[in-house]
Amino acid sequence: MSFSSGHSSVKSFDIVVIGAGHAGIEACLATARLGLSTLMITTNLDRIGYMSCNPSIGGLAKGHMVREVDAMGGEMGRATDETCIQFKRLNSRKGPAVRGSRAQCDKDLYSAYMTRILDAQPGLVVRQGEVKALALNGRYCEGVILADGSKVSSRAVIVTTGTFMRGVMHIGLEQQAGGRVGDQATVGISDQLSALGFVVRRLKTGTPPRLHRDSIDWTKLVEQFGDDVFYPFSLRSDRRLKLPQVSCWLGYTNEKTHEIIRKNLDKSPMFVGAIEGTGPRYCPSIEDKVTRFAEKAGHQTFLEPEGLSTESIYLQGISTSLPAEIQSEFLRTIPGLEQVRILRPGYAVEYDFIEPTQISHSLETREIEGLFLAGQINGTSGYEEAAAQGFMAGVNAARRLRDSEPFVLGRDEAYIGVLIDDLVTKGTIEPYRMFTSRAEHRLVLREDNTLERLQDYASELGLYSADELESLGRVRAAHVEMRRQLRETVLVPNEATQSALRDIGTAVLQKPITVEELLRRPDIASCDVGKFLSGDFSDPSVFEPVEIEVKYAGYIARQNEIISQTKKLEKLRLPSDLSYADIRGLSREEVEKLTKIRPMSLGQAQRISGVNPSAIQAILVHLKGRRKIRELDVELG
């Protein structure tokens, strides 16, 4: 791999990736590791993998996607483990379906790690430059046009422009072009796509002020520690943390804070109509919180270090675009921040995105072949959602060039499958954020069983080395062996067994039982039954999924029955040239939506908003009469 801030002698690549954020990194690593010559183009070589907002990875549902990307050969999980400065497992006392890992990272070390990984990747060139347009030949994308007018030819292009497409930053009523402080906006691509008929809309996101560590009175804030036990995001990482761990701190706004904000709403670009884009519902600005939740006396804010060697503190929960002087005024009303110094004020960013119903599940656009979109350009928010899409876009761009079938994950297989299906089928009118509640099959989409769900795909995709696959195989083999021993090892009520059970603190036996039956007891954990098994099953990546499968066996079985029924409709593929206008019984709205989205299957069709169950029956009748669904009677019984 090589880095270049100027022209490259090579003018032709298999793949061009626009952008060096989390989506761009996963996309270009996937294509290069699959043996395709890849060019990554970024406007700033110093901002590779840069965390524009909170330097944290994971969280509820988001942590699942990081593990899924890792299980198939992506890089975000390893980068997170290497640069973690505080780890927490969220919802650890709740059910396994809603637990999620979160890591606060050192943002500079994270960026440096990703830069080194790109630098060491054969077949990858990273060039600093600006893409002004896509090089099109009819309905085919054949490369990119740079700002100097030169063309770089390619067989596919992956666009991962983040918040930079016609990005505008707002601080108070002042506006400046850019996708984040210190970086220029990307101009030209969204205008070109709009002229080609793509629906282009505006979204808004925001970021809070960064504060100087030494100007904060930490004694007035509540210290928040990380967990003692570390669960790596990557199956290839050590179970030991690499860096010193830090605390975060909890504070609260108050009525004085809110009064200053209310008095200055006329200086907020959101409230005077200077911003037309829709902001994230689940991450509102402090202006939104104060007005929408006026009854609340205070709002939480977490003060989170941005790294081990920086004075910068991230103010989680207080995203704002008020003028800098107003930010300073209201922040000083928060206990602990009376003398605070702002290193960088908060600001809002407004940017273009492409309505995602215009892409397929492979993330290739329907109108332009060879053009893939990934990340915030598809209307998502968050590093994790971006990385997941970048990985899938990279894999599918490579498969397209090799005339292979697209790689598509089902909603029952991965949160990544839920993410992409939601975008393609439902679209979005606000920045899309992944939650566990979006997954109807979340009990089988747990963090602990990621390897079991996706290891076969890891082998198929070819992004893992033989040694890495062998290592993963050993984990799976241990998993299978533990299950076997649990089922086959019988405990009899002799003195040795009863004494062991008394030591554990559980009831003695009245009759012989298997160790699996013992593990089903609510007061028994896998660490308690290890003494009855032969071998070492102390690795959480082995015992956690086994224990959960045993304790939740009935619920999981019911979930699998529902999945089996759902798959019948997913297997009923719809012809790509199906004319919905010719189907009797469909409303005008249903015809329009089905024609626009062009669902791949009846299962996808029934998830489209506004398409009623009667429409699914009408499609079935239409296709059955024309014998366009093979073995329909077999599938539906």
Side-chain angles (χ1 to χ4, degrees):
M1 195 229 110
S2 65
F3 280 76
S4 172
S5 58
H7 293 284
S8 169
S9 59
V10 181
K11 292 294 185 180
S12 179
F13 295 83
D14 291 319
I15 305 280
V16 170
V17 177
I18 305 173
H22 305 283
I25 288 171
E26 296 293 353
C28 71
L29 286 176
T31 57
R33 287 169 176 171
L34 290 173
L36 299 173
S37 62
T38 302
L39 171 66
M40 170 189 271
I41 303 177
T42 175
T43 57
N44 191 338
L45 290 174
D46 296 326
R47 295 291 187 99
I48 290 173
Y50 188 75
M51 294 180 171
S52 305
C53 205
N54 190 353
S56 70
I57 298 292
L60 303 180
K62 290 170 172 281
H64 292 69
M65 289 189 292
V66 177
R67 294 181 188 278
E68 289 169 355
V69 168
D70 176 77
M72 295 183 290
E75 199 63 38
M76 176 175 268
R78 282 202 291 190
T80 302
D81 294 337
E82 290 287 325
T83 60
C84 174
I85 57 176
Q86 188 191 81
F87 175 84
K88 277 194 172 185
R89 175 175 274 191
L90 308 178
N91 285 349
S92 59
R93 297 182 182 179
K94 295 185 179 181
V98 294
R99 296 172 192 162
S101 299
R102 179 185 186 272
Q104 189 79 9
C105 296
D106 185 307
K107 67 189 303 179
D108 293 331
L109 293 179
Y110 186 97
S111 179
Y113 173 92
M114 285 303 196
T115 301
R116 289 196 305 273
I117 292 297
L118 297 181
D119 188 39
Q121 178 57 51
L124 174 62
V125 173
V126 178
R127 180 193 301 180
Q128 183 164 300
E130 183 183 359
V131 175
K132 298 300 290 185
L134 303 169
L136 303 177
N137 181 4
R139 294 186 65 251
Y140 294 88
C141 188
E142 297 184 340
V144 297
I145 307 299
L146 302 181
D148 62 5
S150 63
K151 176 184 176 181
V152 178
S153 298
S154 67
R155 299 162 63 196
V157 172
I158 305 173
V159 184
T160 69
T161 46
T163 61
F164 287 78
M165 284 211 310
R166 290 205 311 127
V168 176
M169 297 178 292
H170 298 260
I171 303 179
L173 301 183
E174 297 180 5
Q175 298 181 10
Q176 179 182 345
R180 63 179 168 227
V181 168
D183 288 304
Q184 65 193 64
T186 298
V187 180
I189 296 176
S190 58
D191 290 335
Q192 182 185 21
L193 292 175
S194 180
L196 291 168
F198 283 84
V199 177
V200 180
R201 296 196 174 102
R202 299 284 274 176
L203 288 177
K204 169 257 178 186
T205 188
T207 192
R210 285 2 180 237
L211 313 179
H212 195 291
R213 182 193 301 270
D214 294 341
S215 68
I216 298 168
D217 184 352
W218 300 102
T219 64
K220 296 182 180 180
L221 300 165
V222 181
E223 191 168 7
Q224 304 288 300
F225 300 98
D227 291 351
D228 294 329
V229 180
F230 174 52
Y231 296 88
F233 281 91
S234 176
L235 295 161
R236 296 164 284 179
S237 295
D238 294 336
R239 291 195 53 77
R240 295 176 294 106
L241 287 159
K242 300 294 181 65
L243 299 176
Q245 298 298 284
V246 302
S247 292
C248 297
W249 303 79
L250 173 64
Y252 290 90
T253 63
N254 53 59
E255 185 52 38
K256 288 182 180 179
T257 317
H258 303 170
E259 181 58 28
I260 293 171
I261 293 170
R262 283 193 290 264
K263 285 194 325 187
N264 289 280
L265 288 177
D266 61 332
K267 302 177 183 68
S268 169
M270 280 293 293
F271 283 80
V272 300
I275 295 178
E276 62 181 82
T278 304
R281 181 187 316 185
Y282 305 104
C283 189
S285 66
I286 189 64
E287 296 96 296
D288 281 331
K289 291 179 180 179
V290 168
T291 53
R292 288 166 50 189
F293 309 106
E295 73 283 357
K296 294 199 68 170
H299 295 281
Q300 281 188 347
T301 177
F302 289 93
L303 286 78
E304 301 171 329
E306 293 203 302
L308 299 175
S309 303
T310 177
E311 300 300 325
S312 181
I313 301 296
Y314 182 91
L315 195 62
Q316 171 87 308
I318 301 192
S319 170
T320 180
S321 55
L322 284 166
E325 63 274 14
I326 305 301
Q327 294 183 36
S328 180
E329 182 182 357
F330 78 67
L331 286 176
R332 288 171 177 251
T333 66
I334 298 173
L337 304 186
E338 292 88 350
Q339 304 299 321
V340 75
R341 297 199 307 275
I342 297 177
L343 293 175
R344 193 185 76 199
Y347 60 93
V349 181
E350 191 178 16
Y351 58 96
D352 284 351
F353 81 105
I354 307 301
E355 169 56 49
T357 56
Q358 299 166 105
I359 58 177
S360 67
H361 281 78
S362 68
L363 299 184
E364 185 177 18
T365 66
R366 291 198 179 92
E367 293 301 316
I368 304 296
E369 295 186 36
L371 176 62
F372 294 78
L373 310 181
Q376 286 173 290
I377 190 174
N378 288 332
T380 58
S381 68
Y383 310 141
E384 305 83 1
E385 289 89 344
Q389 292 173 74
F391 178 85
M392 296 296 284
V395 167
N396 278 310
R399 291 172 78 92
R400 184 187 191 281
L401 268 53
R402 292 175 173 170
D403 295 321
S404 299
E405 285 295 312
F407 176 56
V408 177
L409 290 166
R411 296 179 70 91
D412 61 309
E413 294 180 301
Y415 271 89
I416 296 175
V418 176
L419 166 70
I420 294 175
D421 186 68
D422 276 355
L423 293 174
V424 173
T425 304
K426 302 173 183 177
T428 188
I429 58 173
E430 63 184 351
Y432 178 103
R433 179 179 179 178
M434 179 54 73
F435 294 100
T436 54
S437 59
R438 295 192 190 273
E440 62 271 36
H441 306 306
R442 58 185 172 272
L443 186 54
V444 299
L445 301 181
R446 309 183 308 273
E447 278 194 341
D448 63 87
N449 71 345
T450 307
L451 177 60
E452 182 180 21
R453 289 187 278 122
L454 299 174
Q455 189 196 5
D456 290 343
Y457 290 133
S459 301
E460 175 192 336
L461 294 177
L463 289 165
Y464 271 120
S465 69
D467 289 343
E468 288 172 331
L469 285 174
E470 183 179 350
S471 177
L472 297 182
R474 286 195 294 269
V475 176
R476 284 289 302 279
H479 181 161
V480 172
E481 175 61 16
M482 184 177 182
R483 284 304 310 265
R484 184 192 68 78
Q485 290 195 35
L486 288 174
R487 287 192 305 269
E488 297 179 4
T489 304
V490 178
L491 301 177
V492 295
N494 57 30
E495 184 52 37
T497 300
Q498 307 293 46
S499 176
L501 295 178
R502 291 189 196 100
D503 290 342
I504 294 171
T506 190
V508 296
L509 301 183
Q510 303 301 317
K511 61 180 181 179
I513 64 172
T514 64
V515 180
E516 183 177 68
E517 290 174 294
L518 178 65
L519 184 55
R520 289 199 183 106
R521 292 183 178 183
D523 59 342
I524 294 291
S526 53
C527 59
D528 299 319
V529 303
K531 63 187 66 179
F532 301 116
L533 306 176
S534 61
D536 180 13
F537 299 108
S538 59
D539 185 346
S541 63
V542 175
F543 72 72
E544 270 204 342
V546 171
E547 179 176 338
I548 290 168
E549 286 170 12
V550 169
K551 289 185 177 293
Y552 290 83
Y555 298 102
I556 293 172
R558 283 203 290 272
Q559 186 102 108
N560 285 330
E561 287 177 9
I562 295 171
I563 291 171
S564 179
Q565 294 167 8
T566 302
K567 281 186 174 179
K568 290 182 178 180
L569 286 180
E570 296 296 338
K571 288 179 180 178
L572 297 178
R573 315 295 284 183
L574 297 175
S576 59
D577 59 350
L578 181 59
S579 174
Y580 292 98
D582 295 338
I583 301 177
R584 296 181 61 182
L586 298 184
S587 69
R588 181 176 298 177
E589 178 189 5
E590 288 167 339
V591 170
E592 290 176 355
K593 290 189 172 182
L594 289 163
T595 302
K596 173 185 175 183
I597 295 172
R598 309 238 36 111
M600 296 189 306
S601 67
L602 275 177
Q604 185 190 355
Q606 73 173 355
R607 292 191 295 274
I608 298 173
S609 175
V611 175
N612 297 308
S614 60
I616 302 302
Q617 291 300 317
I619 296 170
L620 275 171
V621 171
H622 177 83
L623 294 176
K624 186 176 180 182
R626 287 156 178 74
R627 300 187 179 278
K628 288 192 176 182
I629 294 185
R630 295 178 182 176
E631 300 177 359
L632 180 61
D633 294 326
V634 175
E635 293 288 352
L636 296 183

